[in-house]
């Protein structure tokens, strides 16, 4: 691997104009296709194999005129004076209904609240449901404006009118998330690298990779029915890893220059060593993201593959475009660092291999170690205390995760100022909380059963259940073989009481089928959320086994050790549990909700835990690879276990710290998003990286390695013979092309001379 990437890096450096041109052309091509592509993303969540999905599909087939899979809007009316029975208020509602029917060619039906009984007991509130023939994404601004205009007509007549439903759905906005993340990343890069040019390279290349990824996802949104949050998540992850991967290679390149290598040789060695770490770190993220397919929820699978694609592009950019742009940057990438004695690859004081005490990481003249060295030595001196403090601290933060409640977000999680939330609250106050999460019960007699007889029996038995307040009269389809009922629970859609009602109704299925021959199924958004949560619970263990197993094998190949990959996996579990605890504390309990802009609290989104596990596992392995490869490199070159730890921190601590701060900044920037799902994911990923980088990798990892000593790098001889040697440390590069003081071996003299001539065309001699 190191040899291949060494050659690829040199080739990209020498052919930098061609490489840069190809990436620019690819970016332009995807941008042109995206600009001319009119496809729309999807907001549908399908769950193959679940009862709710099967019932929904049956409804779409048996009730084609209802627009079951189309958008809906609930227009809620409340009388400011008097009741809805007053003639003036009824006349105002009639005017709104007439305007709604004529508001769009996509309107399938508009219910009359006075005919269907959608009036509260105190007669102060009523609502109508507007059904559309197309989904919310297929409605244009004119349709939404007409809906708002109809509501305004009711307000002008003296009514309080609010609108809920997915007809008002808009593509989530991320606010200034990208700007915040990039701005903080720029500052961190300048401080870390000490050069504006060096700091700009990771930003530019990361933006190129993210641009290609997001534009490609935009083009594929229609054909593949990608969710609207998919490009946002791909941008979030692609930007973070893109900057980190570029930072790692640029830092190693500067270190190789300080060792006296020419630019082309330095690029080759940086690509062969740091580039190898980037490739394997990227593979762990890709495995974690692609592994989401085992859950068998299409929206999660597509999000995972899109994020994996963005990471793959980031890796390709890092090993090809970064070497090319380093060629264009010339000496400017070094900033004020003029000689090898002025700094190491972390931007700290350049150090010799040993100080007077024989420990690595101190300055030959001042005997002052850099911060990474000092920290590693402190941990090595007190490994047990550091280990216990870190594990206990993360364990305390993880405690709220034991109270985790899951459900799909609904309009009750919208900001209180929105019309959707106000409509939700008005319905809950006047009709009870359950009206916002009605259950659709489908009775199918297509196999010879009597659906209407089953519906009559179900109505009687459902009303006798605890937690049910109403059951609508059964509605047959055109053939009379199917009956549809709506059951209104007494509790909110996300409550455990409503989940009990769903399970109680489903428990009646076997008895009804035996008596009438008709099958029963429960669907609707509430039932869909319950089924999603159950499916995610069932898939969690297989997903963890697949992802952790594959990554364990990958890390075992990289580090040629059994205990190092095991330690990495256990550290990840601590990070993710602490992150989930923080998410529960903020988004479910409301701690720090105000400062973080969380306007409503409630159950955590069902997709959040498994998605967080996938992303955090990949990112955790990133830092493991970045930090521990330096330790492994020192160890295989003869350092003691303690010296290897110190060397790893001496060269890698500042870079990993900078990378973590950048990634945290990118993710935290998305907390400003208006969409609760994006806000929650951004926060969860930010705190997970914080815990993993600064507690697990910076404290637990060196403490455990210090306690394990040489056994940390033990691998059975028979396994050592079986595993391929990928040479992430670049040992073959040292053997095959030792530094000759001028930048390479005699075997590379011809390409060195060609590179020098090439450099002069970019940087004329002064």
């Amino acid at each position: 691997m190191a040899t291949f990437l060494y050659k690829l890096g040199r080739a990209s450096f020498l052919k930098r104009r061609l490489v840069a041109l190809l990436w620019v052309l690819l970016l332009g091509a995807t941008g042109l296709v995206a600009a001319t592509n009119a496809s729309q993303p999807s907001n549908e969540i399908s769950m193959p194999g679940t009862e709710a999905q099967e019932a929904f599909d049956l409804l779409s087939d048996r009730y084609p005129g209802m627009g079951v899979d189309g958008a809906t809007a609930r227009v809620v009316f409340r009388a400011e004076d008097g009741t809805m029975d007053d003639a003036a208020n009824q006349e105002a509602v009639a005017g709104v209904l007439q305007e709604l029917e004529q508001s769009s060619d996509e309107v399938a039906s508009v219910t009359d609240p006075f005919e269907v009984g959608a009036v509260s007991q105190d007669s102060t509130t009523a609502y109508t449901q507007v059904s559309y023939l197309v989904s919310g994404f297929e409605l244009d601004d004119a349709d939404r404006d007409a809906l708002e205009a109809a509501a305004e007509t009711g307000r002008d007549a003296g009514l309080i009118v609010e609108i809920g439903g997915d007809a008002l759905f808009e593509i989530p906005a991320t606010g200034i998330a990208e700007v915040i993340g990039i701005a903080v990343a720029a500052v961190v890069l300048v401080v870390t690298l000490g050069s504006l040019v060096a700091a700009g390279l990771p930003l530019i290349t990361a933006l190129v990779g993210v641009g290609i990824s997001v534009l490609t996802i935009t083009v594929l949104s229609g054909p593949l029915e990608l969710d609207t949050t998919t490009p946002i998540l791909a941008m979030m992850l692609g930007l973070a890893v893109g900057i980190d991967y570029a930072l790692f290679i640029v830092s190693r390149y500067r270190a190789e220059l300080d060792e006296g290598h020419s630019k082309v040789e330095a690029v080759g060695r940086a690509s062969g060593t740091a580039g190898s770490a980037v490739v394997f770190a990227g593979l762990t993220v890709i495995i974690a993201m692609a592994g989401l397919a085992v859950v068998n929820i299409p929206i999660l699978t597509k999000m995972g593959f899109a994020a994996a694609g963005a990471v793959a592009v980031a890796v390709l950019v890092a090993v090809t475009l970064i070497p090319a742009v380093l060629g264009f940057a010339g000496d400017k990438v070094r900033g004020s660092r003029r000689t090898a004695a002025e700094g190491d690859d972390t931007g700290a004081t350049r150090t010799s291999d040993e100080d007077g005490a024989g420990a690595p990481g101190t300055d030959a003249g001042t005997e002052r170690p850099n911060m990474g060295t000092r920290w590693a030595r402190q941990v090595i001196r007190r490994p047990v205390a550091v280990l216990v403090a870190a594990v206990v601290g993360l364990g305390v933060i993880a405690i709220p995760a034991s109270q985790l409640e899951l459900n799909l977000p609904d309009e009750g999680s919208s900001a209180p100022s929105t019309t959707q939330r106000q409509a939700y609250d008005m319905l809950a106050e006047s009709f009870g909380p359950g009206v916002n999460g009605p259950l659709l019960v489908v009775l199918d007699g297509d196999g010879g059963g009597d659906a209407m007889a089953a519906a009559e029996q179900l109505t009687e038995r459902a009303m006798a259940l605890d937690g049910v307040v109403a059951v609508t009269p059964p509605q047959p389809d055109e053939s009379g073989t199917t009956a549809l009922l709506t059951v209104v629970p007494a509790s909110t859609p996300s409550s455990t009481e409503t989940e009990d009602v769903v399970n109680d109704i489903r428990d009646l299925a076997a008895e009804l089928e035996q008596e009438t021959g008709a099958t029963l199924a429960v669907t609707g958004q509430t039932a869909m959320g319950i089924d999603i949560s159950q499916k995610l619970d069932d898939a969690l263990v297989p997903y963890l086994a697949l992802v952790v197993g594959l990554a364990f094998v990958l890390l075992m190949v990289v580090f040629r050790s059994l205990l190092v990959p095991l330690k990495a996996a256990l550290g990840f579990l601590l990070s993710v549990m602490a992150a989930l605890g923080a998410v529960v504390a903020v988004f479910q309990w409301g701690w720090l909700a105000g400062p973080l802009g969380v306007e409503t609290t409630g159950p955590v989104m069902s997709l959040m835990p498994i998605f967080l596990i996938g992303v955090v596992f990949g990112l955790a392995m990133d830092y493991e690879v970045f930090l521990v490869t330096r330790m492994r490199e020192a160890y295989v070159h003869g350092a003691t276990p303690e010296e290897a730890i110190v060397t790893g921190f001496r060269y890698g601590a500042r870079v990993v710290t900078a990378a973590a701060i950048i990634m945290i900044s990118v993710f935290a920037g998305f907390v400003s998003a208006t969409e609760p799902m994006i806000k929650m994911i951004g926060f969860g990923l930010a705190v997970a990286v914080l815990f993993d980088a600064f507690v697990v990798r910076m404290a637990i990892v060196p403490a455990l390695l210090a306690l394990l000593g040489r056994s940390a790098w033990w691998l059975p001889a028979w396994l050592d013979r079986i595993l391929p040697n990928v040479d992430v440390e670049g040992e073959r590069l040292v053997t095959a092309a030792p530094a000759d003081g001028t930048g390479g071996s005699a075997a590379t003299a011809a390409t060195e001379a060609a590179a020098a001539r090439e450099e002069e065309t970019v940087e004329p001699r002064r």
Side-chain angles (χ1 to χ4, degrees):
M1 175 64 74
T3 303
F4 169 76
L5 291 175
Y6 169 84
K7 295 177 180 178
L8 179 62
R10 290 172 61 93
S12 298
F13 181 95
L14 295 173
K15 301 294 183 182
R16 50 185 170 272
R17 290 183 177 83
L18 176 60
V19 172
L21 178 61
L22 290 175
W23 279 106
V24 170
L25 289 176
L26 182 58
L27 178 62
T30 53
L32 180 62
V33 174
T36 57
N37 187 278
S39 64
Q40 293 291 330
S42 171
N43 65 337
E44 295 182 0
I45 298 179
S46 62
M47 297 181 302
T50 62
E51 178 177 322
Q53 185 63 51
E54 292 172 354
F56 183 83
D57 294 339
L58 182 64
L59 281 178
S60 300
D61 180 56
R62 302 289 174 85
Y63 297 86
M66 289 181 59
V68 175
D69 53 354
T72 60
R74 278 185 170 184
V75 182
V76 186
F77 308 95
R78 176 167 288 176
E80 289 193 83
D81 298 313
T83 67
M84 296 304 300
D85 294 330
D86 295 345
N89 289 335
Q90 290 196 14
E91 184 179 350
V93 171
V96 173
L97 297 182
Q98 183 178 6
E99 189 171 344
L100 288 171
E101 291 173 348
Q102 301 171 356
S103 63
S104 172
D105 294 336
E106 305 297 347
V107 173
S109 63
V110 179
T111 61
D112 187 328
F114 302 104
E115 292 181 1
V116 300
V119 180
S120 62
Q121 289 186 349
D122 60 6
S123 298
T124 60
T125 308
Y127 70 91
T128 179
Q129 179 159 308
V130 184
S131 299
Y132 292 85
L133 298 173
V134 296
S135 68
F137 283 99
E138 295 174 279
L139 295 176
D140 54 31
D141 291 339
D143 296 324
R144 296 186 181 90
D145 291 343
L147 183 60
E148 294 277 8
E152 195 61 38
T153 298
R155 297 186 186 109
D156 292 340
L159 296 174
I160 299 174
V161 186
E162 302 296 343
I163 309 171
D166 59 355
L168 292 181
F169 186 89
E170 296 179 358
I171 295 177
T174 57
I176 58 172
E178 300 92 338
V179 178
I180 294 174
I182 294 174
V184 175
V187 173
V188 173
L189 288 170
V190 171
V191 172
T192 303
L193 299 175
S195 164
L196 290 175
V197 173
L201 295 183
L203 288 174
I204 294 172
T205 55
L207 289 173
V208 170
V210 168
I212 292 171
S213 301
V214 172
L215 289 171
T216 301
I217 291 171
T218 301
V219 172
L220 298 176
S221 291
L224 299 182
E225 297 182 348
L226 301 180
D227 183 77
T228 50
T229 58
T230 300
I232 297 176
L233 296 174
M235 178 190 302
M236 187 189 302
L237 191 57
L239 188 62
V241 301
I243 295 174
D244 280 4
Y245 294 167
L247 170 63
F248 199 55
I249 292 177
V250 171
S251 298
R252 187 59 182 258
Y253 169 73
R254 283 155 52 105
E256 296 296 337
L257 289 178
D258 288 342
E259 295 292 338
H261 299 293
S262 69
K263 296 184 181 71
V264 67
E265 182 68 13
V267 162
R269 288 171 177 260
S271 298
T273 53
S276 295
V278 164
V279 169
F280 281 97
L283 282 175
T284 60
V285 184
I286 291 170
I287 288 173
M289 292 292 91
L292 291 171
V294 303
V295 183
N296 197 28
I297 295 179
I299 181 177
L300 201 58
T301 300
K302 295 170 185 176
M303 287 166 59
F305 278 119
V311 174
V313 172
V315 172
L316 291 175
V317 166
V319 297
T320 57
L321 185 57
I322 284 292
V325 296
L326 284 173
F328 289 116
D331 287 330
K332 295 178 181 178
V333 76
R334 304 179 73 178
S336 60
R337 295 146 49 95
R338 294 182 297 275
T339 68
E342 289 177 342
D344 64 13
D345 63 320
T346 67
T349 304
R350 180 67 182 161
T351 59
S352 65
D353 288 338
E354 296 183 355
D355 62 8
T362 58
D363 183 81
T366 64
E367 297 187 0
R368 177 174 174 78
N370 63 24
M371 185 175 294
T373 300
R374 296 196 300 272
W375 171 252
R377 289 176 180 169
Q378 290 295 326
V379 174
I380 290 173
R381 289 192 187 104
R382 302 173 182 84
V384 175
V386 171
L387 182 63
V388 171
V391 171
V392 171
L394 290 180
V396 170
I397 298 173
I399 289 175
S402 63
Q403 303 298 317
L404 177 67
E405 297 178 10
L406 299 174
N407 213 300
L408 285 179
D410 55 28
E411 291 179 339
S413 60
S414 301
S417 59
T418 62
T419 185
Q420 293 95 325
R421 174 60 183 276
Q422 292 178 21
Y424 181 97
D425 290 341
M426 288 168 61
L427 288 172
E429 292 168 5
S430 299
F431 296 90
V435 76
N436 285 301
L439 308 174
L440 301 180
V441 183
V442 186
L443 295 161
D444 182 19
D446 191 46
D450 189 340
M452 293 304 293
E456 292 176 3
Q457 293 188 32
L458 175 64
T459 300
E460 181 179 348
R461 296 175 189 180
M463 286 300 299
L465 294 175
D466 292 336
V468 174
V469 297
V471 180
T472 64
Q475 180 180 351
D477 66 344
E478 292 183 357
S479 65
T481 59
T482 309
L484 173 64
L485 300 89
T486 299
V487 177
V488 180
S491 49
T492 59
S494 59
S495 66
T496 56
E497 291 81 3
T498 298
E499 182 177 352
D500 292 339
V501 170
V502 172
N503 293 329
D504 289 342
I505 294 175
R506 287 173 170 172
D507 289 342
L508 299 174
E511 185 178 347
L512 282 175
E513 184 173 8
Q514 184 178 6
E515 295 175 359
T516 64
T519 60
L520 178 152
V522 183
T523 188
Q525 183 177 357
T526 302
M528 196 81 76
I530 293 170
D531 287 353
I532 281 182
S533 297
Q534 184 60 52
K535 193 161 190 177
L536 289 170
D537 287 343
D538 295 341
L540 187 58
V541 172
Y543 173 69
L544 278 174
L546 172 68
V547 173
V548 175
L550 289 176
F552 182 89
V553 173
L554 188 64
L555 292 177
M556 190 165 56
V557 171
V558 173
F559 297 124
R560 311 199 73 77
S561 163
L562 288 177
L563 296 180
V564 170
L566 179 61
K567 166 193 60 63
L570 295 177
F572 147 74
L573 291 176
L574 278 173
S575 299
V576 77
M577 290 306 298
L580 281 174
V583 168
V584 170
V586 173
F587 291 88
Q588 189 174 309
W589 294 358
W591 294 5
L592 297 177
L596 292 173
V598 179
E599 297 184 289
T600 58
T601 59
V604 174
M605 181 185 63
S606 297
L607 302 179
M608 182 68 185
I610 201 164
F611 184 80
L612 184 66
I613 287 170
V615 176
V616 173
F617 184 82
L619 299 181
M621 297 307 103
D622 269 8
Y623 296 119
E624 182 76 10
V625 171
F626 287 174
L627 192 61
V628 181
T629 48
R630 271 292 194 172
M631 299 180 191
R632 170 72 181 174
E633 185 175 342
Y635 182 75
V636 298
H637 291 155
T640 66
E642 291 77 13
E643 291 172 346
I645 296 171
V646 174
T647 300
F649 273 80
R650 171 194 167 195
Y651 285 107
R654 184 162 176 167
V655 175
V656 170
T657 299
I661 293 174
I662 289 170
M663 196 169 285
I664 291 168
S665 303
V666 171
F667 291 149
F670 285 85
V671 176
S672 66
T674 57
E675 173 65 29
M677 176 179 174
I678 300 299
K679 183 186 291 288
M680 186 182 297
I681 290 177
F683 173 82
L685 293 180
V687 297
V689 171
L690 175 68
F691 298 148
D692 194 85
F694 293 108
V695 180
V696 174
R697 308 305 152 188
M698 293 292 185
I700 294 178
V701 165
L704 272 176
L705 289 178
L707 291 172
L708 292 173
R710 293 188 181 276
S711 61
W713 308 105
W714 173 77
L715 187 69
W718 64 269
L719 190 56
D720 186 54
R721 290 191 297 268
I722 295 174
L723 293 177
N725 187 0
V726 295
D727 189 25
V728 175
E729 300 83 15
E731 188 174 4
R732 293 175 186 171
L733 298 182
V734 176
T735 303
D740 59 9
T742 61
S745 64
T748 62
T751 53
E752 295 289 336
R757 291 193 297 272
E758 183 74 10
E759 289 164 12
E760 289 180 5
T761 64
V762 179
E763 298 180 81
R765 295 184 182 275
R766 294 176 175 81

